Amino acid sequence: MQVDVLAADDLKKTAPVFGQLSFDNHEQVVFCNDKDTGLKAIIGIHNTVLGPALGGTRMWNYNSEWDALNDALRLSRGMTFKSAITGLNLGGGKAVIIGDAKTQKTPELMRKFGEFVHSLSGKYITAEDVGMDTEDMDIVREVTPYVTGISESKGGAGNPSPITAYGVFMGMKAAAKHKFGSDDLDGRKILVQGIGHVGEALVEHLTNEGAIVFISDINPTRLEEVSSKYGVTIYTEDPYDAEVDIYAPCALGATINNETIHRIKAKVIAGAANNQLQDENAHGLLLQERGIVYAPDFLINAGGIINVYAELEGYGKQEIIRKTENIYNTTLEILKTAQAQSITTHHAALKIAQQRIDDRKRENLN
Ligand code: NAD
């Protein structure tokens, strides 16, 4: 008995990556360290069956390196399914840089990070995510071609956030159609949690459509700015208790968890944040049981990846918009499938994405 306990403990110590809950047969995980610039980054490459692993870089002050590793693993896996379901020939990858983007991000650090990306010879292609701007990607571009999301003035497709927000808006409308019978958001009460790059652009679409918008953020300056710009209400209480029709998580992931799930009063959840469900099986099921329509995050927040993919494929703005608008149809189809098969919406989306990967894998073998 004692031997078994020791063996389990030893395994935990010796299997810090393969033993992680969020490890899902990732192909490669790269730890990047540079003493001079202070860079500490983790690049997760989940799957490259459909193409190179493309996904943004997040800079965040993680509580621990374990949190950073888990974020890299979860986010890179999400990218695999996002590109697969969107019909893009891309695999899934993501990078995290440990640190405060406001105080610790320097051009030297970004260049060094770019060198690490370059060392992977195109297997991983980066872009911006939380804590990053197009300007940061321009710096990365100085040392590697394996970067997207660079400025339009430098030949890139520019900031992907407005397109991401448009895709979320499309997905939200589809979810509203499924739940309420109409995709018109005029008069609907919607809470947007996190009013950063994507959240603000989403607020603009929603107010243009006549929705009654509430905003929540940890940054009081942003709240004031966005509230006065769009005439929307700052929600000062805990956002999970809000009496709204739609909850749009646009901050960080895992906001739908054991603490929050029973409090959510919204009938629809549709937002930009990656990995909204802390436990995609248990929490997906609970939402289904509670009759809350959940628009899978990796499906409706794909506008950004569509935008940066254009840089690789060379398609223009019109095609970006067309592909992003199609999120409406795909979302509707997946919500219907989930209902017909009595499975969670997350599972329905995952099944279709996995099927595409499996089909390609079979083709590649033949
Ligand atoms: P951002 O950094 O510009 O904005 C995030 C906002 O969330 C900030 O205003 C921040 O203050 C706020 N925030 C952080 N923690 C919070 C909390 N606990 N409660 C409330 N607010 C909080 O990031 P972004 O680019 O707008 O991305 C938002 C989310 O969408 C992220 O999860 C990102 O991974 C996802 N996403 C973004 C894109 C894109 O194109 N930018 C694409 C796909 C997915």
PDB file of all heavy atoms in Angstrom, residues 58 60 82 129-131 160-161 164 193-199 216-219 250-252 272-274 301 304, ligand 1:
ATOM      1  N   ARG A  58      -0.113  34.926 -25.120  1.00  0.00           N
ATOM      2  CA  ARG A  58      -0.727  35.645 -24.000  1.00  0.00           C
ATOM      3  C   ARG A  58       0.355  36.029 -23.005  1.00  0.00           C
ATOM      4  O   ARG A  58       1.196  35.205 -22.668  1.00  0.00           O
ATOM      5  CB  ARG A  58      -1.749  34.724 -23.331  1.00  0.00           C
ATOM      6  CG  ARG A  58      -2.324  35.258 -22.039  1.00  0.00           C
ATOM      7  CD  ARG A  58      -3.446  34.391 -21.550  1.00  0.00           C
ATOM      8  NE  ARG A  58      -4.580  34.399 -22.479  1.00  0.00           N
ATOM      9  CZ  ARG A  58      -5.769  33.854 -22.225  1.00  0.00           C
ATOM     10  NH1 ARG A  58      -5.967  33.243 -21.087  1.00  0.00           N
ATOM     11  NH2 ARG A  58      -6.741  33.905 -23.099  1.00  0.00           N
ATOM     12  N   TRP A  60       0.712  37.200 -19.179  1.00  0.00           N
ATOM     13  CA  TRP A  60      -0.128  37.288 -17.982  1.00  0.00           C
ATOM     14  C   TRP A  60       0.703  37.020 -16.737  1.00  0.00           C
ATOM     15  O   TRP A  60       1.633  36.203 -16.778  1.00  0.00           O
ATOM     16  CB  TRP A  60      -1.273  36.265 -18.098  1.00  0.00           C
ATOM     17  CG  TRP A  60      -2.352  36.480 -17.087  1.00  0.00           C
ATOM     18  CD1 TRP A  60      -2.603  35.723 -15.977  1.00  0.00           C
ATOM     19  CD2 TRP A  60      -3.341  37.518 -17.093  1.00  0.00           C
ATOM     20  NE1 TRP A  60      -3.677  36.230 -15.300  1.00  0.00           N
ATOM     21  CE2 TRP A  60      -4.147  37.329 -15.959  1.00  0.00           C
ATOM     22  CE3 TRP A  60      -3.619  38.596 -17.942  1.00  0.00           C
ATOM     23  CZ2 TRP A  60      -5.212  38.174 -15.644  1.00  0.00           C
ATOM     24  CZ3 TRP A  60      -4.683  39.436 -17.630  1.00  0.00           C
ATOM     25  CH2 TRP A  60      -5.460  39.216 -16.498  1.00  0.00           C
ATOM     26  N   LYS A  82     -10.751  24.935 -32.727  1.00  0.00           N
ATOM     27  CA  LYS A  82     -11.261  26.175 -33.325  1.00  0.00           C
ATOM     28  C   LYS A  82     -10.980  26.199 -34.830  1.00  0.00           C
ATOM     29  O   LYS A  82     -11.865  26.454 -35.644  1.00  0.00           O
ATOM     30  CB  LYS A  82     -10.582  27.383 -32.660  1.00  0.00           C
ATOM     31  CG  LYS A  82     -11.124  28.707 -33.131  1.00  0.00           C
ATOM     32  CD  LYS A  82     -10.383  29.889 -32.518  1.00  0.00           C
ATOM     33  CE  LYS A  82     -10.335  29.818 -31.018  1.00  0.00           C
ATOM     34  NZ  LYS A  82     -10.045  31.136 -30.404  1.00  0.00           N
ATOM     35  N   ASP A 129      -2.559  37.832 -28.353  1.00  0.00           N
ATOM     36  CA  ASP A 129      -3.662  37.435 -27.471  1.00  0.00           C
ATOM     37  C   ASP A 129      -3.645  38.449 -26.314  1.00  0.00           C
ATOM     38  O   ASP A 129      -3.070  39.543 -26.463  1.00  0.00           O
ATOM     39  CB  ASP A 129      -3.482  35.982 -26.994  1.00  0.00           C
ATOM     40  CG  ASP A 129      -4.729  35.451 -26.281  1.00  0.00           C
ATOM     41  OD1 ASP A 129      -5.802  35.400 -26.904  1.00  0.00           O
ATOM     42  OD2 ASP A 129      -4.653  35.117 -25.082  1.00  0.00           O
ATOM     43  N   VAL A 130      -4.230  38.082 -25.211  1.00  0.00           N
ATOM     44  CA  VAL A 130      -4.313  39.003 -24.077  1.00  0.00           C
ATOM     45  C   VAL A 130      -2.910  39.523 -23.706  1.00  0.00           C
ATOM     46  O   VAL A 130      -1.959  38.751 -23.610  1.00  0.00           O
ATOM     47  CB  VAL A 130      -4.952  38.286 -22.863  1.00  0.00           C
ATOM     48  CG1 VAL A 130      -4.962  39.184 -21.635  1.00  0.00           C
ATOM     49  CG2 VAL A 130      -6.365  37.836 -23.208  1.00  0.00           C
ATOM     50  N   GLY A 131      -2.811  40.828 -23.546  1.00  0.00           N
ATOM     51  CA  GLY A 131      -1.540  41.437 -23.153  1.00  0.00           C
ATOM     52  C   GLY A 131      -0.627  41.748 -24.331  1.00  0.00           C
ATOM     53  O   GLY A 131       0.512  42.170 -24.142  1.00  0.00           O
ATOM     54  N   PRO A 160      -6.841  41.605 -34.884  1.00  0.00           N
ATOM     55  CA  PRO A 160      -7.944  40.678 -35.157  1.00  0.00           C
ATOM     56  C   PRO A 160      -9.178  40.897 -34.275  1.00  0.00           C
ATOM     57  O   PRO A 160     -10.252  40.359 -34.557  1.00  0.00           O
ATOM     58  CB  PRO A 160      -7.328  39.303 -34.862  1.00  0.00           C
ATOM     59  CG  PRO A 160      -6.207  39.573 -33.924  1.00  0.00           C
ATOM     60  CD  PRO A 160      -5.722  40.962 -34.175  1.00  0.00           C
ATOM     61  N   SER A 161      -9.034  41.705 -33.222  1.00  0.00           N
ATOM     62  CA  SER A 161     -10.115  41.792 -32.225  1.00  0.00           C
ATOM     63  C   SER A 161     -11.468  42.255 -32.793  1.00  0.00           C
ATOM     64  O   SER A 161     -12.506  41.688 -32.433  1.00  0.00           O
ATOM     65  CB  SER A 161      -9.704  42.697 -31.070  1.00  0.00           C
ATOM     66  OG  SER A 161      -8.528  42.222 -30.500  1.00  0.00           O
ATOM     67  N   THR A 164     -12.985  39.298 -34.390  1.00  0.00           N
ATOM     68  CA  THR A 164     -13.395  38.332 -33.353  1.00  0.00           C
ATOM     69  C   THR A 164     -14.739  38.762 -32.773  1.00  0.00           C
ATOM     70  O   THR A 164     -15.655  37.954 -32.618  1.00  0.00           O
ATOM     71  CB  THR A 164     -12.336  38.257 -32.220  1.00  0.00           C
ATOM     72  OG1 THR A 164     -11.097  37.860 -32.792  1.00  0.00           O
ATOM     73  CG2 THR A 164     -12.735  37.269 -31.145  1.00  0.00           C
ATOM     74  N   GLN A 193     -18.705  40.775 -19.894  1.00  0.00           N
ATOM     75  CA  GLN A 193     -17.683  40.722 -18.835  1.00  0.00           C
ATOM     76  C   GLN A 193     -16.297  40.796 -19.482  1.00  0.00           C
ATOM     77  O   GLN A 193     -15.903  39.896 -20.205  1.00  0.00           O
ATOM     78  CB  GLN A 193     -17.822  39.402 -18.072  1.00  0.00           C
ATOM     79  CG  GLN A 193     -16.797  39.206 -16.983  1.00  0.00           C
ATOM     80  CD  GLN A 193     -16.845  37.794 -16.418  1.00  0.00           C
ATOM     81  OE1 GLN A 193     -17.085  36.836 -17.142  1.00  0.00           O
ATOM     82  NE2 GLN A 193     -16.637  37.664 -15.131  1.00  0.00           N
ATOM     83  N   GLY A 194     -15.590  41.898 -19.215  1.00  0.00           N
ATOM     84  CA  GLY A 194     -14.281  42.109 -19.851  1.00  0.00           C
ATOM     85  C   GLY A 194     -14.458  42.972 -21.083  1.00  0.00           C
ATOM     86  O   GLY A 194     -14.956  42.526 -22.119  1.00  0.00           O
ATOM     87  N   ILE A 195     -14.092  44.229 -20.952  1.00  0.00           N
ATOM     88  CA  ILE A 195     -14.306  45.150 -22.073  1.00  0.00           C
ATOM     89  C   ILE A 195     -12.961  45.630 -22.603  1.00  0.00           C
ATOM     90  O   ILE A 195     -12.680  46.821 -22.696  1.00  0.00           O
ATOM     91  CB  ILE A 195     -15.226  46.327 -21.663  1.00  0.00           C
ATOM     92  CG1 ILE A 195     -14.900  46.751 -20.225  1.00  0.00           C
ATOM     93  CG2 ILE A 195     -16.688  45.938 -21.791  1.00  0.00           C
ATOM     94  CD1 ILE A 195     -15.204  48.151 -19.923  1.00  0.00           C
ATOM     95  N   GLY A 196     -12.148  44.630 -22.960  1.00  0.00           N
ATOM     96  CA  GLY A 196     -10.866  44.914 -23.588  1.00  0.00           C
ATOM     97  C   GLY A 196     -11.053  45.078 -25.083  1.00  0.00           C
ATOM     98  O   GLY A 196     -12.088  45.587 -25.548  1.00  0.00           O
ATOM     99  N   HIS A 197     -10.077  44.624 -25.859  1.00  0.00           N
ATOM    100  CA  HIS A 197     -10.123  44.773 -27.316  1.00  0.00           C
ATOM    101  C   HIS A 197     -11.408  44.188 -27.903  1.00  0.00           C
ATOM    102  O   HIS A 197     -12.086  44.829 -28.696  1.00  0.00           O
ATOM    103  CB  HIS A 197      -8.929  44.057 -27.958  1.00  0.00           C
ATOM    104  CG  HIS A 197      -7.617  44.709 -27.658  1.00  0.00           C
ATOM    105  ND1 HIS A 197      -6.755  44.251 -26.693  1.00  0.00           N
ATOM    106  CD2 HIS A 197      -7.015  45.788 -28.209  1.00  0.00           C
ATOM    107  CE1 HIS A 197      -5.679  45.017 -26.661  1.00  0.00           C
ATOM    108  NE2 HIS A 197      -5.812  45.969 -27.561  1.00  0.00           N
ATOM    109  N   VAL A 198     -11.720  42.953 -27.529  1.00  0.00           N
ATOM    110  CA  VAL A 198     -12.893  42.289 -28.114  1.00  0.00           C
ATOM    111  C   VAL A 198     -14.176  42.785 -27.460  1.00  0.00           C
ATOM    112  O   VAL A 198     -15.156  43.097 -28.142  1.00  0.00           O
ATOM    113  CB  VAL A 198     -12.797  40.749 -27.977  1.00  0.00           C
ATOM    114  CG1 VAL A 198     -14.003  40.085 -28.613  1.00  0.00           C
ATOM    115  CG2 VAL A 198     -11.507  40.226 -28.611  1.00  0.00           C
ATOM    116  N   GLY A 199     -14.157  42.848 -26.128  1.00  0.00           N
ATOM    117  CA  GLY A 199     -15.358  43.230 -25.394  1.00  0.00           C
ATOM    118  C   GLY A 199     -15.898  44.584 -25.842  1.00  0.00           C
ATOM    119  O   GLY A 199     -17.100  44.746 -26.064  1.00  0.00           O
ATOM    120  N   SER A 216     -18.841  44.850 -17.210  1.00  0.00           N
ATOM    121  CA  SER A 216     -18.152  44.506 -15.975  1.00  0.00           C
ATOM    122  C   SER A 216     -16.679  44.295 -16.300  1.00  0.00           C
ATOM    123  O   SER A 216     -16.349  43.671 -17.311  1.00  0.00           O
ATOM    124  CB  SER A 216     -18.793  43.221 -15.433  1.00  0.00           C
ATOM    125  OG  SER A 216     -18.013  42.657 -14.437  1.00  0.00           O
ATOM    126  N   ASP A 217     -15.796  44.853 -15.487  1.00  0.00           N
ATOM    127  CA  ASP A 217     -14.359  44.695 -15.727  1.00  0.00           C
ATOM    128  C   ASP A 217     -13.630  44.973 -14.420  1.00  0.00           C
ATOM    129  O   ASP A 217     -14.173  45.624 -13.531  1.00  0.00           O
ATOM    130  CB  ASP A 217     -13.887  45.677 -16.825  1.00  0.00           C
ATOM    131  CG  ASP A 217     -12.587  45.244 -17.488  1.00  0.00           C
ATOM    132  OD1 ASP A 217     -11.534  45.269 -16.816  1.00  0.00           O
ATOM    133  OD2 ASP A 217     -12.609  44.884 -18.676  1.00  0.00           O
ATOM    134  N   ILE A 218     -12.400  44.467 -14.325  1.00  0.00           N
ATOM    135  CA  ILE A 218     -11.619  44.761 -13.116  1.00  0.00           C
ATOM    136  C   ILE A 218     -10.881  46.087 -13.239  1.00  0.00           C
ATOM    137  O   ILE A 218     -10.278  46.553 -12.294  1.00  0.00           O
ATOM    138  CB  ILE A 218     -10.602  43.624 -12.805  1.00  0.00           C
ATOM    139  CG1 ILE A 218      -9.786  43.270 -14.046  1.00  0.00           C
ATOM    140  CG2 ILE A 218     -11.299  42.397 -12.230  1.00  0.00           C
ATOM    141  CD1 ILE A 218      -8.607  42.349 -13.771  1.00  0.00           C
ATOM    142  N   ASN A 219     -10.943  46.678 -14.437  1.00  0.00           N
ATOM    143  CA  ASN A 219     -10.224  47.922 -14.686  1.00  0.00           C
ATOM    144  C   ASN A 219     -11.211  49.106 -14.686  1.00  0.00           C
ATOM    145  O   ASN A 219     -11.962  49.300 -15.648  1.00  0.00           O
ATOM    146  CB  ASN A 219      -9.513  47.791 -16.041  1.00  0.00           C
ATOM    147  CG  ASN A 219      -8.705  49.019 -16.397  1.00  0.00           C
ATOM    148  OD1 ASN A 219      -8.936  50.106 -15.876  1.00  0.00           O
ATOM    149  ND2 ASN A 219      -7.756  48.858 -17.310  1.00  0.00           N
ATOM    150  N   CYS A 250     -16.022  37.803 -21.853  1.00  0.00           N
ATOM    151  CA  CYS A 250     -14.986  38.304 -22.775  1.00  0.00           C
ATOM    152  C   CYS A 250     -13.715  38.687 -22.028  1.00  0.00           C
ATOM    153  O   CYS A 250     -12.953  39.545 -22.485  1.00  0.00           O
ATOM    154  CB  CYS A 250     -15.506  39.511 -23.559  1.00  0.00           C
ATOM    155  SG  CYS A 250     -16.888  39.134 -24.618  1.00  0.00           S
ATOM    156  N   ALA A 251     -13.515  38.070 -20.843  1.00  0.00           N
ATOM    157  CA  ALA A 251     -12.285  38.366 -20.088  1.00  0.00           C
ATOM    158  C   ALA A 251     -11.363  37.151 -20.209  1.00  0.00           C
ATOM    159  O   ALA A 251     -10.846  36.881 -21.280  1.00  0.00           O
ATOM    160  CB  ALA A 251     -12.641  38.700 -18.648  1.00  0.00           C
ATOM    161  N   LEU A 252     -11.206  36.434 -19.103  1.00  0.00           N
ATOM    162  CA  LEU A 252     -10.372  35.227 -19.160  1.00  0.00           C
ATOM    163  C   LEU A 252     -11.247  33.984 -19.059  1.00  0.00           C
ATOM    164  O   LEU A 252     -12.470  34.088 -18.950  1.00  0.00           O
ATOM    165  CB  LEU A 252      -9.333  35.259 -18.036  1.00  0.00           C
ATOM    166  CG  LEU A 252      -8.319  36.401 -18.124  1.00  0.00           C
ATOM    167  CD1 LEU A 252      -7.308  36.300 -16.998  1.00  0.00           C
ATOM    168  CD2 LEU A 252      -7.589  36.412 -19.471  1.00  0.00           C
ATOM    169  N   ALA A 272     -16.402  35.823 -26.013  1.00  0.00           N
ATOM    170  CA  ALA A 272     -15.138  35.658 -26.737  1.00  0.00           C
ATOM    171  C   ALA A 272     -14.084  34.872 -25.967  1.00  0.00           C
ATOM    172  O   ALA A 272     -13.156  34.331 -26.574  1.00  0.00           O
ATOM    173  CB  ALA A 272     -14.551  37.035 -27.051  1.00  0.00           C
ATOM    174  N   ALA A 273     -14.199  34.830 -24.646  1.00  0.00           N
ATOM    175  CA  ALA A 273     -13.115  34.231 -23.859  1.00  0.00           C
ATOM    176  C   ALA A 273     -12.886  32.780 -24.262  1.00  0.00           C
ATOM    177  O   ALA A 273     -13.839  32.063 -24.580  1.00  0.00           O
ATOM    178  CB  ALA A 273     -13.453  34.323 -22.377  1.00  0.00           C
ATOM    179  N   ASN A 274     -11.634  32.370 -24.241  1.00  0.00           N
ATOM    180  CA  ASN A 274     -11.303  30.978 -24.526  1.00  0.00           C
ATOM    181  C   ASN A 274     -11.520  30.148 -23.269  1.00  0.00           C
ATOM    182  O   ASN A 274     -11.304  30.625 -22.162  1.00  0.00           O
ATOM    183  CB  ASN A 274      -9.831  30.875 -24.950  1.00  0.00           C
ATOM    184  CG  ASN A 274      -9.615  31.402 -26.351  1.00  0.00           C
ATOM    185  OD1 ASN A 274     -10.288  30.988 -27.289  1.00  0.00           O
ATOM    186  ND2 ASN A 274      -8.675  32.321 -26.511  1.00  0.00           N
ATOM    187  N   ASN A 301     -15.641  32.382 -31.330  1.00  0.00           N
ATOM    188  CA  ASN A 301     -14.574  33.392 -31.256  1.00  0.00           C
ATOM    189  C   ASN A 301     -13.507  33.183 -32.336  1.00  0.00           C
ATOM    190  O   ASN A 301     -12.384  33.659 -32.211  1.00  0.00           O
ATOM    191  CB  ASN A 301     -13.984  33.493 -29.844  1.00  0.00           C
ATOM    192  CG  ASN A 301     -13.117  32.298 -29.472  1.00  0.00           C
ATOM    193  OD1 ASN A 301     -12.784  31.460 -30.295  1.00  0.00           O
ATOM    194  ND2 ASN A 301     -12.754  32.220 -28.200  1.00  0.00           N
ATOM    195  N   GLY A 304     -10.965  35.954 -35.097  1.00  0.00           N
ATOM    196  CA  GLY A 304      -9.564  36.368 -35.023  1.00  0.00           C
ATOM    197  C   GLY A 304      -8.658  35.448 -35.819  1.00  0.00           C
ATOM    198  O   GLY A 304      -7.765  35.909 -36.550  1.00  0.00           O
TER     199      GLY A 304
HETATM  200  P1  NAD B   1      -7.881  42.218 -23.545  1.00  0.00           P
HETATM  201  O1  NAD B   1      -6.684  41.989 -22.681  1.00  0.00           O
HETATM  202  O2  NAD B   1      -7.873  43.346 -24.492  1.00  0.00           O
HETATM  203  O3  NAD B   1      -9.162  42.411 -22.593  1.00  0.00           O
HETATM  204  C1  NAD B   1      -9.437  41.625 -21.486  1.00  0.00           C
HETATM  205  C2  NAD B   1     -10.261  42.491 -20.545  1.00  0.00           C
HETATM  206  O4  NAD B   1     -10.745  41.654 -19.483  1.00  0.00           O
HETATM  207  C3  NAD B   1      -9.476  43.619 -19.885  1.00  0.00           C
HETATM  208  O5  NAD B   1     -10.204  44.829 -19.972  1.00  0.00           O
HETATM  209  C4  NAD B   1      -9.319  43.154 -18.437  1.00  0.00           C
HETATM  210  O6  NAD B   1      -9.258  44.231 -17.525  1.00  0.00           O
HETATM  211  C5  NAD B   1     -10.587  42.361 -18.256  1.00  0.00           C
HETATM  212  N1  NAD B   1     -10.530  41.372 -17.169  1.00  0.00           N
HETATM  213  C6  NAD B   1      -9.513  40.552 -16.826  1.00  0.00           C
HETATM  214  N2  NAD B   1      -9.884  39.792 -15.788  1.00  0.00           N
HETATM  215  C7  NAD B   1     -11.165  40.128 -15.490  1.00  0.00           C
HETATM  216  C8  NAD B   1     -12.104  39.676 -14.536  1.00  0.00           C
HETATM  217  N3  NAD B   1     -11.790  38.740 -13.649  1.00  0.00           N
HETATM  218  N4  NAD B   1     -13.325  40.245 -14.539  1.00  0.00           N
HETATM  219  C9  NAD B   1     -13.661  41.186 -15.432  1.00  0.00           C
HETATM  220  N5  NAD B   1     -12.814  41.659 -16.350  1.00  0.00           N
HETATM  221  C10 NAD B   1     -11.582  41.124 -16.388  1.00  0.00           C
HETATM  222  O7  NAD B   1      -8.197  40.834 -24.272  1.00  0.00           O
HETATM  223  P2  NAD B   1      -9.027  40.597 -25.597  1.00  0.00           P
HETATM  224  O8  NAD B   1      -8.107  40.566 -26.735  1.00  0.00           O
HETATM  225  O9  NAD B   1     -10.216  41.503 -25.599  1.00  0.00           O
HETATM  226  O10 NAD B   1      -9.523  39.097 -25.390  1.00  0.00           O
HETATM  227  C11 NAD B   1     -10.565  38.786 -24.476  1.00  0.00           C
HETATM  228  C12 NAD B   1     -10.796  37.285 -24.434  1.00  0.00           C
HETATM  229  O11 NAD B   1     -11.133  36.815 -25.743  1.00  0.00           O
HETATM  230  C13 NAD B   1      -9.570  36.460 -24.019  1.00  0.00           C
HETATM  231  O12 NAD B   1      -9.996  35.331 -23.290  1.00  0.00           O
HETATM  232  C14 NAD B   1      -8.969  36.019 -25.339  1.00  0.00           C
HETATM  233  O13 NAD B   1      -8.224  34.834 -25.217  1.00  0.00           O
HETATM  234  C15 NAD B   1     -10.229  35.804 -26.143  1.00  0.00           C
HETATM  235  N6  NAD B   1     -10.016  35.887 -27.583  1.00  0.00           N
HETATM  236  C16 NAD B   1      -9.512  37.028 -28.131  1.00  0.00           C
HETATM  237  C17 NAD B   1      -9.322  37.115 -29.508  1.00  0.00           C
HETATM  238  C18 NAD B   1      -8.808  38.377 -30.141  1.00  0.00           C
HETATM  239  O14 NAD B   1      -8.912  38.495 -31.370  1.00  0.00           O
HETATM  240  N7  NAD B   1      -8.284  39.315 -29.382  1.00  0.00           N
HETATM  241  C19 NAD B   1      -9.647  36.029 -30.320  1.00  0.00           C
HETATM  242  C20 NAD B   1     -10.188  34.879 -29.729  1.00  0.00           C
HETATM  243  C21 NAD B   1     -10.360  34.820 -28.360  1.00  0.00           C
END
